Short mmCIF file of all heavy atoms in Angstrom, two decimals:
data_model
loop_
_atom_site.label_atom_id
_atom_site.label_comp_id
_atom_site.label_asym_id
_atom_site.label_seq_id
_atom_site.Cartn_x
_atom_site.Cartn_y
_atom_site.Cartn_z
N GLU C 1 30.96 80.83 10.39
CA GLU C 1 30.78 81.97 11.27
C GLU C 1 31.60 83.15 10.75
O GLU C 1 32.78 83.03 10.46
CB GLU C 1 31.22 81.58 12.68
CG GLU C 1 31.15 82.72 13.64
CD GLU C 1 31.58 82.29 15.02
OE1 GLU C 1 31.22 81.17 15.45
OE2 GLU C 1 32.29 83.05 15.65
N ASP C 2 30.98 84.31 10.64
CA ASP C 2 31.64 85.50 10.15
C ASP C 2 32.55 86.08 11.24
O ASP C 2 32.08 86.42 12.31
CB ASP C 2 30.60 86.53 9.72
CG ASP C 2 31.23 87.77 9.10
OD1 ASP C 2 32.44 87.74 8.80
OD2 ASP C 2 30.51 88.76 8.93
N GLN C 3 33.84 86.18 10.94
CA GLN C 3 34.79 86.74 11.90
C GLN C 3 35.27 88.13 11.47
O GLN C 3 36.22 88.66 12.02
CB GLN C 3 35.99 85.81 12.04
CG GLN C 3 35.61 84.46 12.59
CD GLN C 3 36.81 83.52 12.67
OE1 GLN C 3 37.88 83.83 12.19
NE2 GLN C 3 36.60 82.37 13.26
N GLY C 4 34.59 88.70 10.46
CA GLY C 4 34.97 90.03 10.02
C GLY C 4 36.18 90.07 9.12
O GLY C 4 36.74 91.12 8.86
N ILE C 5 36.59 88.91 8.62
CA ILE C 5 37.75 88.84 7.75
C ILE C 5 37.28 88.78 6.30
O ILE C 5 36.42 87.97 5.96
CB ILE C 5 38.62 87.60 8.07
CG1 ILE C 5 39.16 87.72 9.50
CG2 ILE C 5 39.75 87.46 7.07
CD1 ILE C 5 39.89 86.48 9.98
N ARG C 6 37.81 89.67 5.47
CA ARG C 6 37.47 89.67 4.05
C ARG C 6 38.25 88.56 3.38
O ARG C 6 39.47 88.50 3.47
CB ARG C 6 37.82 91.01 3.40
CG ARG C 6 37.15 92.19 4.05
CD ARG C 6 35.64 92.16 3.82
NE ARG C 6 35.03 93.35 4.38
CZ ARG C 6 34.19 93.33 5.40
NH1 ARG C 6 33.87 92.22 5.99
NH2 ARG C 6 33.67 94.45 5.85
N GLU C 7 37.53 87.65 2.72
CA GLU C 7 38.21 86.53 2.07
C GLU C 7 37.42 86.08 0.85
O GLU C 7 36.26 86.40 0.68
CB GLU C 7 38.40 85.37 3.03
CG GLU C 7 37.12 84.78 3.57
CD GLU C 7 37.37 83.62 4.52
OE1 GLU C 7 38.13 83.78 5.49
OE2 GLU C 7 36.78 82.57 4.27
N LYS C 8 38.11 85.33 0.01
CA LYS C 8 37.50 84.71 -1.16
C LYS C 8 38.10 83.32 -1.28
O LYS C 8 39.32 83.15 -1.27
CB LYS C 8 37.79 85.52 -2.42
CG LYS C 8 37.14 84.94 -3.65
CD LYS C 8 37.35 85.84 -4.85
CE LYS C 8 36.64 85.24 -6.06
NZ LYS C 8 36.81 86.10 -7.23
N ASN C 9 37.24 82.34 -1.37
CA ASN C 9 37.67 80.94 -1.47
C ASN C 9 38.61 80.57 -0.32
O ASN C 9 39.58 79.84 -0.51
CB ASN C 9 38.34 80.67 -2.81
CG ASN C 9 37.39 80.90 -3.97
OD1 ASN C 9 36.19 80.68 -3.87
ND2 ASN C 9 37.93 81.37 -5.09
N GLY C 10 38.34 81.10 0.85
CA GLY C 10 39.13 80.76 2.03
C GLY C 10 40.46 81.49 2.16
O GLY C 10 41.23 81.22 3.07
N VAL C 11 40.73 82.43 1.26
CA VAL C 11 41.99 83.18 1.29
C VAL C 11 41.69 84.62 1.72
O VAL C 11 40.88 85.31 1.10
CB VAL C 11 42.68 83.17 -0.09
CG1 VAL C 11 43.96 83.99 -0.06
CG2 VAL C 11 42.97 81.74 -0.54
N GLN C 12 42.35 85.07 2.78
CA GLN C 12 42.14 86.42 3.30
C GLN C 12 42.63 87.45 2.30
O GLN C 12 43.66 87.30 1.66
CB GLN C 12 42.88 86.62 4.61
CG GLN C 12 42.65 87.99 5.21
CD GLN C 12 43.31 88.19 6.56
OE1 GLN C 12 44.01 87.33 7.05
NE2 GLN C 12 43.08 89.32 7.17
N LEU C 13 41.85 88.55 2.16
CA LEU C 13 42.26 89.66 1.31
C LEU C 13 43.50 90.29 1.92
O LEU C 13 43.49 90.77 3.06
CB LEU C 13 41.13 90.69 1.21
CG LEU C 13 41.42 91.95 0.40
CD1 LEU C 13 41.86 91.61 -1.02
CD2 LEU C 13 40.21 92.86 0.39
N THR C 14 44.58 90.27 1.16
CA THR C 14 45.87 90.75 1.63
C THR C 14 46.56 91.55 0.54
O THR C 14 46.52 91.17 -0.63
CB THR C 14 46.78 89.57 2.03
OG1 THR C 14 46.12 88.78 3.01
CG2 THR C 14 48.11 90.03 2.57
N PHE C 15 47.18 92.65 0.93
CA PHE C 15 47.97 93.46 0.02
C PHE C 15 49.41 93.47 0.48
O PHE C 15 49.68 93.65 1.67
CB PHE C 15 47.48 94.92 0.00
CG PHE C 15 46.12 95.09 -0.58
CD1 PHE C 15 45.02 95.26 0.23
CD2 PHE C 15 45.93 95.09 -1.95
CE1 PHE C 15 43.76 95.44 -0.29
CE2 PHE C 15 44.67 95.26 -2.49
CZ PHE C 15 43.58 95.44 -1.67
N ASP C 16 50.34 93.31 -0.45
CA ASP C 16 51.76 93.50 -0.17
C ASP C 16 52.09 94.93 -0.59
O ASP C 16 51.88 95.32 -1.73
CB ASP C 16 52.62 92.50 -0.94
CG ASP C 16 52.41 91.08 -0.46
OD1 ASP C 16 52.18 90.90 0.74
OD2 ASP C 16 52.48 90.16 -1.28
N TRP C 17 52.58 95.72 0.36
CA TRP C 17 52.76 97.15 0.15
C TRP C 17 54.20 97.53 0.46
O TRP C 17 54.68 97.33 1.57
CB TRP C 17 51.80 97.88 1.07
CG TRP C 17 51.62 99.34 0.86
CD1 TRP C 17 52.33 100.16 0.03
CD2 TRP C 17 50.65 100.16 1.50
NE1 TRP C 17 51.86 101.44 0.11
CE2 TRP C 17 50.82 101.47 1.01
CE3 TRP C 17 49.66 99.93 2.44
CZ2 TRP C 17 50.04 102.53 1.43
CZ3 TRP C 17 48.89 100.99 2.85
CH2 TRP C 17 49.07 102.26 2.35
N LEU C 18 54.88 98.09 -0.51
CA LEU C 18 56.26 98.54 -0.36
C LEU C 18 56.22 100.05 -0.11
O LEU C 18 55.64 100.80 -0.90
CB LEU C 18 57.04 98.22 -1.63
CG LEU C 18 58.55 98.32 -1.59
CD1 LEU C 18 59.14 97.38 -0.55
CD2 LEU C 18 59.12 97.99 -2.96
N VAL C 19 56.83 100.48 0.98
CA VAL C 19 56.70 101.88 1.41
C VAL C 19 58.08 102.53 1.58
O VAL C 19 58.93 102.02 2.30
CB VAL C 19 55.92 101.98 2.74
CG1 VAL C 19 55.86 103.41 3.23
CG2 VAL C 19 54.52 101.41 2.57
N PHE C 20 58.25 103.65 0.89
CA PHE C 20 59.43 104.49 1.05
C PHE C 20 59.25 105.24 2.37
O PHE C 20 58.38 106.10 2.49
CB PHE C 20 59.53 105.45 -0.14
CG PHE C 20 60.58 106.52 -0.02
CD1 PHE C 20 61.90 106.20 0.21
CD2 PHE C 20 60.23 107.85 -0.17
CE1 PHE C 20 62.87 107.18 0.30
CE2 PHE C 20 61.18 108.85 -0.07
CZ PHE C 20 62.50 108.52 0.15
N SER C 21 60.04 104.88 3.35
CA SER C 21 59.78 105.37 4.72
C SER C 21 60.59 106.59 5.11
O SER C 21 60.52 107.02 6.25
CB SER C 21 60.05 104.24 5.71
OG SER C 21 61.41 103.84 5.65
N GLU C 22 61.34 107.15 4.18
CA GLU C 22 62.20 108.27 4.55
C GLU C 22 61.50 109.63 4.50
O GLU C 22 62.11 110.66 4.72
CB GLU C 22 63.45 108.27 3.67
CG GLU C 22 64.29 107.02 3.92
CD GLU C 22 65.48 106.88 3.00
OE1 GLU C 22 65.77 107.80 2.22
OE2 GLU C 22 66.12 105.83 3.05
N VAL C 23 60.19 109.61 4.20
CA VAL C 23 59.38 110.83 4.29
C VAL C 23 58.19 110.53 5.19
O VAL C 23 57.62 109.44 5.15
CB VAL C 23 58.92 111.34 2.91
CG1 VAL C 23 60.10 111.84 2.10
CG2 VAL C 23 58.18 110.27 2.15
N ASP C 24 57.83 111.48 6.01
CA ASP C 24 56.79 111.24 7.01
C ASP C 24 55.44 110.86 6.41
O ASP C 24 54.77 109.96 6.92
CB ASP C 24 56.61 112.48 7.89
CG ASP C 24 57.77 112.70 8.85
OD1 ASP C 24 58.53 111.74 9.09
OD2 ASP C 24 57.91 113.82 9.35
N TRP C 25 55.01 111.55 5.35
CA TRP C 25 53.68 111.29 4.82
C TRP C 25 53.53 109.85 4.34
O TRP C 25 52.50 109.23 4.56
CB TRP C 25 53.31 112.27 3.69
CG TRP C 25 54.04 112.03 2.41
CD1 TRP C 25 55.19 112.64 1.98
CD2 TRP C 25 53.68 111.10 1.38
NE1 TRP C 25 55.56 112.13 0.76
CE2 TRP C 25 54.64 111.19 0.37
CE3 TRP C 25 52.64 110.19 1.23
CZ2 TRP C 25 54.60 110.40 -0.79
CZ3 TRP C 25 52.60 109.40 0.07
CH2 TRP C 25 53.57 109.53 -0.92
N SER C 26 54.55 109.31 3.71
CA SER C 26 54.49 107.95 3.19
C SER C 26 54.42 106.94 4.34
O SER C 26 53.60 106.01 4.33
CB SER C 26 55.72 107.69 2.32
OG SER C 26 55.72 106.39 1.80
N TYR C 27 55.27 107.13 5.32
CA TYR C 27 55.30 106.26 6.49
C TYR C 27 53.98 106.31 7.25
O TYR C 27 53.39 105.29 7.59
CB TYR C 27 56.47 106.68 7.39
CG TYR C 27 56.59 105.87 8.65
CD1 TYR C 27 57.27 104.66 8.65
CD2 TYR C 27 56.04 106.32 9.84
CE1 TYR C 27 57.39 103.92 9.81
CE2 TYR C 27 56.15 105.57 11.00
CZ TYR C 27 56.83 104.38 10.97
OH TYR C 27 56.94 103.63 12.12
N ASN C 28 53.48 107.53 7.49
CA ASN C 28 52.24 107.71 8.24
C ASN C 28 51.03 107.16 7.48
O ASN C 28 50.14 106.56 8.09
CB ASN C 28 52.03 109.18 8.59
CG ASN C 28 53.06 109.68 9.58
OD1 ASN C 28 53.62 108.92 10.36
ND2 ASN C 28 53.33 110.97 9.55
N LEU C 29 50.98 107.38 6.18
CA LEU C 29 49.88 106.87 5.37
C LEU C 29 49.79 105.36 5.46
O LEU C 29 48.71 104.80 5.67
CB LEU C 29 50.05 107.29 3.91
CG LEU C 29 49.05 106.69 2.92
CD1 LEU C 29 47.65 107.22 3.19
CD2 LEU C 29 49.48 106.97 1.50
N ALA C 30 50.90 104.68 5.32
CA ALA C 30 50.91 103.22 5.36
C ALA C 30 50.47 102.70 6.72
O ALA C 30 49.66 101.77 6.80
CB ALA C 30 52.31 102.70 5.03
N ASN C 31 50.97 103.28 7.78
CA ASN C 31 50.57 102.84 9.12
C ASN C 31 49.10 103.10 9.39
O ASN C 31 48.41 102.26 9.98
CB ASN C 31 51.44 103.50 10.18
CG ASN C 31 52.79 102.86 10.29
OD1 ASN C 31 52.92 101.65 10.25
ND2 ASN C 31 53.82 103.67 10.41
N TYR C 32 48.60 104.25 8.97
CA TYR C 32 47.19 104.57 9.18
C TYR C 32 46.30 103.62 8.38
O TYR C 32 45.32 103.08 8.91
CB TYR C 32 46.91 106.02 8.79
CG TYR C 32 45.48 106.41 8.99
CD1 TYR C 32 44.99 106.69 10.26
CD2 TYR C 32 44.60 106.48 7.92
CE1 TYR C 32 43.66 107.04 10.46
CE2 TYR C 32 43.27 106.82 8.10
CZ TYR C 32 42.80 107.10 9.37
OH TYR C 32 41.49 107.43 9.55
N ALA C 33 46.63 103.43 7.11
CA ALA C 33 45.83 102.53 6.27
C ALA C 33 45.83 101.12 6.83
O ALA C 33 44.78 100.46 6.87
CB ALA C 33 46.37 102.54 4.84
N GLN C 34 46.97 100.64 7.26
CA GLN C 34 47.05 99.29 7.81
C GLN C 34 46.12 99.15 9.02
O GLN C 34 45.39 98.16 9.14
CB GLN C 34 48.48 98.95 8.21
CG GLN C 34 48.65 97.54 8.73
CD GLN C 34 50.08 97.23 9.11
OE1 GLN C 34 50.75 98.05 9.74
NE2 GLN C 34 50.55 96.06 8.71
N ALA C 35 46.12 100.12 9.90
CA ALA C 35 45.28 100.07 11.10
C ALA C 35 43.80 100.10 10.74
O ALA C 35 42.99 99.36 11.31
CB ALA C 35 45.62 101.22 12.04
N GLN C 36 43.43 100.94 9.77
CA GLN C 36 42.03 101.05 9.39
C GLN C 36 41.56 99.83 8.61
O GLN C 36 40.45 99.34 8.82
CB GLN C 36 41.80 102.33 8.56
CG GLN C 36 42.07 103.61 9.32
CD GLN C 36 41.27 103.70 10.60
OE1 GLN C 36 40.05 103.52 10.61
NE2 GLN C 36 41.94 103.96 11.71
N TRP C 37 42.39 99.34 7.71
CA TRP C 37 42.01 98.15 6.93
C TRP C 37 41.87 96.92 7.81
O TRP C 37 41.04 96.06 7.55
CB TRP C 37 43.01 97.89 5.83
CG TRP C 37 42.99 98.91 4.74
CD1 TRP C 37 42.07 99.89 4.54
CD2 TRP C 37 43.95 99.07 3.71
NE1 TRP C 37 42.39 100.64 3.45
CE2 TRP C 37 43.55 100.15 2.92
CE3 TRP C 37 45.13 98.40 3.39
CZ2 TRP C 37 44.26 100.58 1.80
CZ3 TRP C 37 45.84 98.81 2.28
CH2 TRP C 37 45.41 99.89 1.50
N GLN C 38 42.69 96.85 8.85
CA GLN C 38 42.59 95.72 9.77
C GLN C 38 41.20 95.66 10.39
O GLN C 38 40.64 94.59 10.57
CB GLN C 38 43.67 95.83 10.85
CG GLN C 38 43.73 94.64 11.77
CD GLN C 38 44.87 94.76 12.76
OE1 GLN C 38 45.49 95.81 12.92
NE2 GLN C 38 45.16 93.67 13.43
N LYS C 39 40.62 96.81 10.68
CA LYS C 39 39.26 96.86 11.22
C LYS C 39 38.23 96.33 10.23
O LYS C 39 37.16 95.88 10.63
CB LYS C 39 38.90 98.29 11.61
CG LYS C 39 39.73 98.84 12.75
CD LYS C 39 39.40 100.30 13.01
CE LYS C 39 40.31 100.89 14.05
NZ LYS C 39 40.04 102.33 14.25
N LEU C 40 38.56 96.39 8.94
CA LEU C 40 37.67 95.90 7.89
C LEU C 40 37.95 94.45 7.50
O LEU C 40 37.30 93.91 6.62
CB LEU C 40 37.80 96.78 6.64
CG LEU C 40 37.41 98.25 6.81
CD1 LEU C 40 37.77 99.03 5.57
CD2 LEU C 40 35.93 98.37 7.13
N GLY C 41 38.94 93.85 8.14
CA GLY C 41 39.28 92.47 7.85
C GLY C 41 40.23 92.31 6.69
O GLY C 41 40.33 91.24 6.08
N ILE C 42 40.96 93.38 6.35
CA ILE C 42 41.92 93.37 5.25
C ILE C 42 43.32 93.43 5.84
O ILE C 42 43.61 94.25 6.71
CB ILE C 42 41.69 94.57 4.31
CG1 ILE C 42 40.26 94.53 3.76
CG2 ILE C 42 42.72 94.58 3.19
CD1 ILE C 42 39.83 95.79 3.07
N LYS C 43 44.19 92.57 5.34
CA LYS C 43 45.56 92.52 5.85
C LYS C 43 46.49 93.25 4.89
O LYS C 43 46.42 93.06 3.68
CB LYS C 43 46.01 91.07 6.01
CG LYS C 43 47.38 90.92 6.61
CD LYS C 43 47.69 89.46 6.84
CE LYS C 43 49.05 89.31 7.48
NZ LYS C 43 49.40 87.91 7.67
N ALA C 44 47.37 94.08 5.43
CA ALA C 44 48.39 94.77 4.63
C ALA C 44 49.76 94.35 5.15
O ALA C 44 50.08 94.59 6.31
CB ALA C 44 48.22 96.28 4.72
N ASN C 45 50.52 93.70 4.29
CA ASN C 45 51.90 93.35 4.62
C ASN C 45 52.78 94.50 4.14
O ASN C 45 53.03 94.64 2.95
CB ASN C 45 52.31 92.05 3.92
CG ASN C 45 51.51 90.87 4.38
OD1 ASN C 45 51.20 90.75 5.55
ND2 ASN C 45 51.17 90.00 3.47
N ILE C 46 53.21 95.32 5.07
CA ILE C 46 53.98 96.52 4.72
C ILE C 46 55.46 96.26 4.93
O ILE C 46 55.87 95.74 5.97
CB ILE C 46 53.53 97.72 5.57
CG1 ILE C 46 52.06 98.02 5.28
CG2 ILE C 46 54.39 98.93 5.28
CD1 ILE C 46 51.49 99.14 6.11
N GLU C 47 56.22 96.63 3.91
CA GLU C 47 57.68 96.55 4.00
C GLU C 47 58.22 97.96 3.82
O GLU C 47 58.05 98.57 2.76
CB GLU C 47 58.23 95.62 2.92
CG GLU C 47 59.72 95.43 2.99
CD GLU C 47 60.25 94.50 1.92
OE1 GLU C 47 59.46 93.83 1.23
OE2 GLU C 47 61.48 94.46 1.76
N PHE C 48 58.84 98.50 4.86
CA PHE C 48 59.43 99.84 4.81
C PHE C 48 60.85 99.74 4.28
O PHE C 48 61.65 98.94 4.80
CB PHE C 48 59.43 100.47 6.21
CG PHE C 48 58.05 100.72 6.74
CD1 PHE C 48 57.49 99.88 7.69
CD2 PHE C 48 57.31 101.79 6.29
CE1 PHE C 48 56.23 100.12 8.19
CE2 PHE C 48 56.03 102.03 6.78
CZ PHE C 48 55.49 101.19 7.74
N VAL C 49 61.14 100.53 3.25
CA VAL C 49 62.47 100.46 2.61
C VAL C 49 62.97 101.85 2.28
O VAL C 49 62.22 102.82 2.27
CB VAL C 49 62.41 99.62 1.31
CG1 VAL C 49 62.03 98.18 1.60
CG2 VAL C 49 61.46 100.22 0.30
N ASP C 50 64.27 101.94 1.96
CA ASP C 50 64.83 103.20 1.51
C ASP C 50 64.54 103.36 0.01
O ASP C 50 64.06 102.44 -0.65
CB ASP C 50 66.34 103.24 1.78
CG ASP C 50 67.08 102.13 1.06
OD1 ASP C 50 67.14 102.15 -0.19
OD2 ASP C 50 67.59 101.23 1.75
N TYR C 51 64.83 104.53 -0.52
CA TYR C 51 64.46 104.86 -1.90
C TYR C 51 65.15 103.96 -2.92
O TYR C 51 64.51 103.50 -3.88
CB TYR C 51 64.80 106.32 -2.17
CG TYR C 51 64.33 106.80 -3.52
CD1 TYR C 51 62.97 106.91 -3.80
CD2 TYR C 51 65.23 107.12 -4.52
CE1 TYR C 51 62.53 107.34 -5.03
CE2 TYR C 51 64.80 107.56 -5.76
CZ TYR C 51 63.45 107.66 -6.01
OH TYR C 51 63.02 108.09 -7.23
N GLU C 52 66.41 103.69 -2.74
CA GLU C 52 67.14 102.82 -3.69
C GLU C 52 66.56 101.41 -3.72
O GLU C 52 66.43 100.81 -4.78
CB GLU C 52 68.64 102.78 -3.34
CG GLU C 52 69.33 104.11 -3.51
CD GLU C 52 69.27 104.65 -4.93
OE1 GLU C 52 69.39 103.86 -5.89
OE2 GLU C 52 69.10 105.88 -5.08
N THR C 53 66.20 100.88 -2.57
CA THR C 53 65.60 99.55 -2.50
C THR C 53 64.23 99.56 -3.19
O THR C 53 63.89 98.63 -3.91
CB THR C 53 65.46 99.09 -1.04
OG1 THR C 53 66.76 99.09 -0.44
CG2 THR C 53 64.85 97.72 -0.95
N LEU C 54 63.46 100.62 -2.97
CA LEU C 54 62.16 100.76 -3.63
C LEU C 54 62.32 100.70 -5.14
O LEU C 54 61.63 99.93 -5.82
CB LEU C 54 61.48 102.06 -3.21
CG LEU C 54 60.16 102.38 -3.88
CD1 LEU C 54 59.03 101.60 -3.22
CD2 LEU C 54 59.87 103.85 -3.85
N LEU C 55 63.22 101.50 -5.69
CA LEU C 55 63.43 101.51 -7.14
C LEU C 55 63.89 100.14 -7.65
O LEU C 55 63.42 99.68 -8.70
CB LEU C 55 64.46 102.58 -7.51
CG LEU C 55 64.01 104.02 -7.37
CD1 LEU C 55 65.14 104.97 -7.78
CD2 LEU C 55 62.77 104.29 -8.20
N ALA C 56 64.79 99.51 -6.94
CA ALA C 56 65.28 98.20 -7.37
C ALA C 56 64.16 97.17 -7.40
O ALA C 56 64.05 96.38 -8.35
CB ALA C 56 66.41 97.73 -6.44
N ARG C 57 63.30 97.18 -6.39
CA ARG C 57 62.18 96.23 -6.35
C ARG C 57 61.18 96.49 -7.46
O ARG C 57 60.63 95.56 -8.04
CB ARG C 57 61.48 96.29 -5.00
CG ARG C 57 62.22 95.68 -3.85
CD ARG C 57 62.10 94.17 -3.79
NE ARG C 57 60.74 93.71 -3.67
CZ ARG C 57 60.03 93.69 -2.54
NH1 ARG C 57 60.56 94.10 -1.41
NH2 ARG C 57 58.79 93.24 -2.55
N LEU C 58 60.92 97.76 -7.76
CA LEU C 58 59.96 98.09 -8.81
C LEU C 58 60.49 97.74 -10.20
O LEU C 58 59.71 97.58 -11.13
CB LEU C 58 59.58 99.57 -8.74
CG LEU C 58 58.83 99.98 -7.48
CD1 LEU C 58 58.56 101.48 -7.49
CD2 LEU C 58 57.54 99.20 -7.31
N ASN C 59 61.79 97.61 -10.32
CA ASN C 59 62.40 97.22 -11.60
C ASN C 59 62.75 95.74 -11.64
O ASN C 59 63.51 95.32 -12.50
CB ASN C 59 63.63 98.07 -11.87
CG ASN C 59 63.27 99.50 -12.22
OD1 ASN C 59 62.38 99.73 -13.03
ND2 ASN C 59 63.93 100.45 -11.59
N SER C 60 62.20 94.97 -10.73
CA SER C 60 62.47 93.54 -10.67
C SER C 60 61.19 92.76 -10.94
O SER C 60 60.16 93.35 -11.24
CB SER C 60 63.03 93.15 -9.30
OG SER C 60 62.00 93.19 -8.32
N ASP C 61 61.27 91.47 -10.83
CA ASP C 61 60.08 90.62 -10.99
C ASP C 61 59.30 90.51 -9.68
O ASP C 61 58.26 89.87 -9.65
CB ASP C 61 60.49 89.21 -11.45
CG ASP C 61 61.04 89.22 -12.87
OD1 ASP C 61 60.67 90.13 -13.65
OD2 ASP C 61 61.83 88.33 -13.21
N ASP C 62 59.80 91.11 -8.61
CA ASP C 62 59.19 91.01 -7.29
C ASP C 62 58.46 92.32 -6.95
O ASP C 62 58.76 92.97 -5.95
CB ASP C 62 60.28 90.71 -6.26
CG ASP C 62 59.71 90.45 -4.88
OD1 ASP C 62 58.52 90.07 -4.78
OD2 ASP C 62 60.44 90.63 -3.90
N VAL C 63 57.50 92.72 -7.79
CA VAL C 63 56.77 93.97 -7.61
C VAL C 63 55.60 93.74 -6.66
O VAL C 63 54.82 92.79 -6.86
CB VAL C 63 56.27 94.51 -8.97
CG1 VAL C 63 55.48 95.78 -8.77
CG2 VAL C 63 57.44 94.74 -9.91
N PRO C 64 55.45 94.57 -5.64
CA PRO C 64 54.35 94.42 -4.69
C PRO C 64 53.01 94.83 -5.31
O PRO C 64 52.97 95.42 -6.40
CB PRO C 64 54.74 95.35 -3.56
CG PRO C 64 55.55 96.41 -4.22
CD PRO C 64 56.30 95.73 -5.33
N ASP C 65 51.93 94.56 -4.60
CA ASP C 65 50.61 94.98 -5.05
C ASP C 65 50.49 96.51 -5.07
O ASP C 65 49.80 97.07 -5.93
CB ASP C 65 49.51 94.41 -4.13
CG ASP C 65 49.53 92.90 -4.10
OD1 ASP C 65 49.58 92.29 -5.19
OD2 ASP C 65 49.49 92.33 -3.00
N MET C 66 51.11 97.15 -4.10
CA MET C 66 51.02 98.60 -3.97
C MET C 66 52.38 99.13 -3.55
O MET C 66 53.18 98.41 -2.96
CB MET C 66 50.00 98.99 -2.87
CG MET C 66 48.63 98.49 -3.14
SD MET C 66 47.42 98.75 -1.83
CE MET C 66 48.13 99.78 -0.65
N TRP C 67 52.62 100.40 -3.84
CA TRP C 67 53.86 101.04 -3.39
C TRP C 67 53.66 102.54 -3.31
O TRP C 67 52.80 103.10 -3.97
CB TRP C 67 55.03 100.70 -4.30
CG TRP C 67 54.88 101.13 -5.72
CD1 TRP C 67 54.28 100.43 -6.72
CD2 TRP C 67 55.31 102.36 -6.29
NE1 TRP C 67 54.31 101.14 -7.88
CE2 TRP C 67 54.94 102.34 -7.66
CE3 TRP C 67 55.96 103.48 -5.80
CZ2 TRP C 67 55.21 103.39 -8.51
CZ3 TRP C 67 56.23 104.53 -6.66
CH2 TRP C 67 55.86 104.47 -8.00
N ASN C 68 54.42 103.18 -2.46
CA ASN C 68 54.50 104.63 -2.40
C ASN C 68 55.79 105.04 -1.72
O ASN C 68 56.40 104.31 -1.02
CB ASN C 68 53.30 105.27 -1.69
CG ASN C 68 53.15 104.88 -0.24
OD1 ASN C 68 52.86 103.76 0.08
ND2 ASN C 68 53.38 105.82 0.64
#
């Protein structure tokens, strides 16, 4: 039965998204996208961080699918 969830081989389409939240546009974009994608059956795991944490994560082995 179709429940409106985007999946492949039983795994829901999910993005891990690291967001620099100290500027309004970045914070608002992530929240808006998450709400809209949810309607399409796509899950966004958003982690809001400060700029130094963002840079550290991007220079590590723990890089998210998306970032801004």
Side-chain angles (χ1 to χ4, degrees):
E1 176 179 320
D2 184 12
Q3 297 177 353
I5 297 173
R6 303 292 184 246
E7 61 180 53
K8 182 175 182 179
N9 298 327
V11 178
Q12 182 176 4
L13 177 56
T14 303
F15 293 102
D16 293 326
W17 191 352
L18 193 60
V19 176
F20 171 56
S21 62
E22 296 175 7
V23 292
D24 288 342
W25 72 265
S26 180
Y27 179 84
N28 293 335
L29 173 68
N31 282 319
Y32 180 77
Q34 182 180 44
Q36 296 305 309
W37 291 349
Q38 185 176 12
K39 294 175 185 177
L40 298 172
I42 301 167
K43 184 175 181 182
N45 296 322
I46 298 177
E47 182 180 349
F48 295 103
V49 297
D50 61 68
Y51 186 68
E52 295 300 321
T53 302
L54 176 80
L55 290 180
R57 287 280 300 280
L58 295 177
N59 289 313
S60 73
D61 292 334
D62 186 23
V63 178
D65 300 312
M66 300 174 10
W67 61 272
N68 63 291

